[in-house]
Amino acid sequence: MRVSNLFMATQREIPADAEIPSHRLMLRAGLIRKMASGVYSFMPMGYRTYKKVEAVIREEMDKAGAQELIMPALLPAEAYQGSGRWEKFGPEMFRLTDRGGRSFCLGPTHEEPFTEAVRDSIRSYKQLPVTLYQIQHKYRDEKRPRFGVIRAREFVMKDAYSFDVDEAGLDISYKKMYDAYRAIFDRLGLDYTIVDADSGAMGGSGSQEFMVKSEVGEDAICFCDECGYAANEEKAGWTRGAAQEGEELAIEKIHTPDVKTIEELCGYLNCGPDAFVKTILYNIDGKFVAAMCRGDRDINETKLGNLYDATEMELAAFADVEMITGAKVGFAGPVGLKQKIDIVVDPEVTGMKNFVVGACETDYHFKNVNIGRDFEADQVADITNAKAGDICPKCGKGKLGMARGVEVGHIFKLGTKYSDALGCIYLDNNGKEHSMVMGCYGIGVSRVLAAIIEQYHDDDGIIWPSIVAPYKVIVVPTKANDEEIMGVAEKIYADLTAAGCEVLIDDRNERPGVKFKDADLLGIPLRITVGRRAGEGIVEVKRRDSSETAEITVDEAVKAAKEI
Ligand code: ATP
Ligand code: MG
């Protein structure tokens, strides 16, 4: 391809909301173009790389025995009603109505349509196991679309679904996908960690996420260096310390005017945040819940939401807090609530003695509060985030460390949740009916592209690993009007094209500096510069991932390019 003909959608002005390197570079290099919040076009340079990522995924899925098909993205409501997810998805689902008043959605994930397809075609255990997949656009009306294609509202996912006769079969299908995922992310050159994940809304018995390590990752990962435990923060457990000893003191109401934060309260009472218990009110599907944890901890909303099988959950509105506590916001506590609501406490709180809580009265707190004596918890459950330094939940010895990551893939053991709901059954060799045992496996194809850039870039641009580079080589003649230089450059270009190499020639009448800048921004792995020594058959080569240049013969350069 000639750069003079290339449709380069490079962008000079980068919007302020492009906060992270991959988003900025994808816009600058013209890989994507924004249509609306979280909705992007892939431009030619982006689409070429996108197709390469897709090809690696497809090859490994096929190798693992999965069969590709394609389903519609426009799906009738009934497809999701049988499983209850038509309601469950809430506002994240894009919904529409056809001219006849029939409800549809744009598929956010396809467990139900795949389950129905298999249900309608498979009768016997002899036809199992089977794993099906597609690579297709998905639609989710994300609360906060951001970071370009990392969290988009229309994005491409490879989603696969396995169907087995039993759990043992599922374990084998799951392992095949696990291995395929490792092969995919290894081939794409990503540095990633596999972590235990929350199986939340999907139900099921186990799940793991493939996390690309990155400071800009939205997910926090907890890991233990002692035993290798690694889990997404949404799921990570931690070992609570021993219960506090000592006598229960008499409860006391204290006047705490003008203190609004835990820090101010600590200063006022001259103690640490670990002497407090926070009470945070949530509205979970219209029901109010008080969640309690130690003052220096944070509530994990995924864990809390799972406890209530939540569809929609948010902090209770100020007016609701005032109604329930009878006090201004900041003084909620478990004693003296004006309305009976569920109280959920983290197990750590049950081990605490004589703690401080809000008094459900503006400007007052209670001191020396004790669970069991002063109030009862409706539930004791792990509802807090692990922190760096906490004791590992698995080995009980190591201390947890924290890192950030971008989730590029997710594999789940679903069990029979969907097959039970949708009647996806098979007959065993005695003619007895059983529900199929399912797994599901997703990769964010467009997100992978951004994740690769996060790990492969510098100040000048993208540094594509050769396997996904849109073009592998760029030939840069330094002067477009010099016959000798152009002759050598065109010859190299022709040789490489004939050899099947994806090569660009920058035949524009531009200064070398401009051409080098664009080649660097686009991240082409090898640059062959044809300049003043062209007449002697000498050219300069430079790899994008190195700052070194070398002068070599044309033949050597062509050989190096073919190797790439
Ligand atoms: P997240 O926690 O990031 O929202 P998820 O758990 O909702 O992800 P899954 O439902 O497991 O994601 O989807 C499978 C894969 O699809 C994810 O691992 C991720 O790579 C990708 N993905 C999910 N949501 C988006 C999105 N909004 N934009 C781009 N890719 C996404
Ligand atoms: Mg999500």
Side-chain angles (χ1 to χ4, degrees):
M1 171 62 90
R2 296 178 178 278
V3 174
S4 59
N5 293 337
L6 196 63
F7 181 78
M8 282 222 275
T10 50
Q11 216 173 303
R12 301 267 171 263
E13 299 292 318
I14 298 306
D17 69 352
E19 301 160 70
I20 62 167
S22 62
H23 189 189
R24 281 199 296 272
L25 286 170
M26 288 181 93
L27 289 171
R28 265 179 66 199
L31 307 189
I32 55 171
R33 190 169 172 275
K34 183 172 168 177
M35 296 288 294
S37 168
V39 183
Y40 291 88
S41 309
F42 272 89
M43 305 311 281
M45 277 294 177
Y47 195 47
R48 281 184 83 92
T49 42
Y50 161 83
K51 281 190 286 186
K52 297 191 175 189
V53 172
E54 200 187 49
V56 170
I57 295 173
R58 184 171 278 125
E59 271 173 40
E60 295 300 331
M61 294 307 289
D62 291 346
K63 220 189 272 177
Q67 298 168 63
E68 187 171 7
L69 55 73
I70 189 92
M71 293 234 172
L74 180 64
L75 294 159
E78 299 81 61
Y80 291 91
Q81 278 161 344
S83 67
R85 282 210 296 185
W86 180 256
E87 290 76 33
K88 183 102 200 160
F89 264 111
E92 204 168 283
M93 188 180 246
F94 275 105
R95 295 159 204 264
L96 37 134
T97 312
D98 74 5
R99 61 174 81 202
R102 213 172 149 205
S103 297
F104 283 82
C105 72
L106 297 174
T109 172
H110 278 66
E111 281 70 19
E112 291 84 348
F114 275 79
T115 308
E116 290 185 349
V118 170
R119 174 194 67 196
D120 295 344
S121 326
I122 289 191
R123 290 292 300 150
S124 159
Y125 71 97
K126 289 183 196 151
Q127 296 164 282
L128 293 172
V130 66
T131 298
L132 302 172
Y133 78 99
Q134 64 177 347
I135 299 178
Q136 188 219 33
H137 281 93
K138 295 281 183 279
Y139 299 85
R140 296 183 185 177
D141 197 358
E142 298 274 358
K143 221 180 211 164
R144 278 194 75 192
R146 56 185 190 149
F147 300 154
V149 296
I150 286 196
R151 184 163 300 283
R153 297 194 295 168
E154 179 186 82
F155 60 97
V156 180
M157 198 200 287
K158 185 288 299 168
D159 47 328
Y161 306 86
S162 67
F163 298 83
D164 275 277
V165 294
D166 56 16
E167 288 287 337
L170 169 61
D171 288 347
I172 295 168
S173 297
Y174 183 90
K175 177 71 167 46
K176 280 189 187 155
M177 286 296 116
Y178 176 93
D179 290 340
Y181 275 39
R182 288 189 53 173
I184 290 165
F185 297 126
D186 285 345
R187 284 180 63 191
L188 293 175
L190 287 167
D191 179 15
Y192 62 94
T193 317
I194 303 169
V195 305
D196 289 348
D198 168 54
S199 17
M202 303 288 289
S205 57
S207 104
Q208 286 166 300
E209 285 168 350
F210 290 72
M211 292 282 189
V212 168
K213 292 174 207 157
S214 163
E215 281 165 32
V216 306
E218 290 182 286
D219 287 280
I221 305 165
C222 304
F223 58 89
C224 171
D225 280 336
E226 293 266 338
C227 71
Y229 174 78
N232 187 321
E233 187 185 51
E234 287 182 347
K235 154 104 183 187
W238 54 282
T239 304
R240 273 75 182 164
Q244 290 169 358
E245 308 266 333
E247 238 173 84
E248 292 184 353
L249 305 175
I251 188 167
E252 232 179 274
K253 190 188 276 183
I254 40 177
H255 192 210
T256 51
D258 302 322
V259 297
K260 292 203 178 54
T261 63
I262 292 264
E263 292 76 55
E264 285 170 352
L265 194 56
C266 286
Y268 195 82
L269 296 178
N270 195 20
C271 56
D274 55 356
F276 296 91
V277 173
K278 296 196 242 198
T279 306
I280 301 184
L281 301 188
Y282 283 91
N283 181 341
I284 304 181
D285 294 322
K287 174 182 162 123
F288 293 107
V289 172
M292 299 182 65
C293 67
R294 207 169 78 177
D296 56 344
R297 292 266 167 202
D298 289 312
I299 298 289
N300 178 317
E301 296 188 357
T302 303
K303 292 180 182 177
L304 181 63
N306 285 345
L307 215 55
Y308 285 90
D309 203 12
T311 301
E312 268 190 86
M313 152 166 175
E314 54 189 10
L315 287 173
F318 279 14
D320 292 325
V321 174
E322 288 177 7
M323 179 188 72
I324 294 163
T325 63
K328 284 212 177 118
V329 172
F331 300 95
V335 185
L337 288 164
K338 305 295 171 280
Q339 191 177 322
K340 165 72 189 126
I341 61 171
D342 257 20
I343 298 177
V344 188
V345 305
D346 188 84
E348 185 176 42
V349 175
T350 61
M352 292 173 69
K353 281 233 161 77
N354 303 319
F355 47 84
V356 178
V357 296
C360 291
E361 187 177 336
T362 303
D363 292 342
Y364 286 91
H365 280 80
F366 281 124
K367 216 167 107 171
N368 300 331
V369 172
N370 287 282
I371 195 166
R373 184 192 69 180
D374 303 317
F375 73 98
E376 295 288 347
D378 295 284
Q379 290 201 65
V380 177
D382 174 8
I383 52 166
T384 49
N385 285 335
K387 290 198 292 198
D390 281 339
I391 303 300
C392 171
K394 189 170 168 207
C395 65
K397 286 196 303 253
K399 286 197 171 155
L400 293 177
M402 301 285 254
R404 300 208 72 80
V406 175
E407 178 198 323
V408 288
H410 199 166
I411 55 178
F412 281 98
K413 289 185 182 173
L414 289 171
T416 58
K417 175 174 164 157
Y418 292 94
S419 42
D420 285 343
L422 303 172
C424 183
I425 52 167
Y426 69 93
L427 300 176
D428 69 14
N429 56 359
N430 298 315
K432 203 165 160 260
E433 290 185 346
H434 302 274
S435 290
M436 294 184 205
V437 183
M438 293 173 55
C440 75
Y441 317 91
I443 293 181
V445 184
S446 39
R447 186 183 281 184
V448 163
L449 219 76
I452 296 173
I453 297 175
E454 283 303 329
Q455 290 193 338
Y456 291 93
H457 73 270
D458 62 15
D459 290 344
D460 298 323
I462 304 166
I463 308 175
W464 287 120
S466 164
I467 188 167
V468 290
Y471 292 91
K472 313 291 185 234
V473 180
I474 183 163
V475 181
V476 181
T478 53
K479 281 189 185 140
N481 50 12
D482 181 313
E483 257 177 50
E484 189 164 60
I485 288 178
M486 282 314 286
V488 173
E490 290 286 355
K491 174 84 173 54
I492 297 174
Y493 175 63
D495 283 356
L496 289 176
T497 305
C501 173
E502 294 172 291
V503 55
L504 287 171
I505 180 165
D506 197 344
D507 55 345
R508 294 175 300 171
N509 192 9
E510 291 281 1
R511 283 181 296 111
V514 171
K515 297 183 180 183
F516 293 164
K517 264 210 155 67
D518 281 341
D520 282 352
L521 177 60
L522 291 174
I524 311 301
L526 188 73
R527 188 179 85 202
I528 303 177
T529 308
V530 185
R532 59 190 168 76
R533 297 188 68 190
E536 306 158 50
I538 300 290
V539 294
E540 182 200 270
V541 291
K542 181 183 171 293
R543 290 173 59 110
R544 178 63 182 90
D545 61 4
S546 149
S547 55
E548 281 167 33
T549 56
E551 293 207 317
I552 57 176
T553 65
V554 168
D555 288 346
E556 284 167 338
V558 169
K559 195 165 158 258
K562 285 181 184 162
E563 274 161 17
I564 278 209

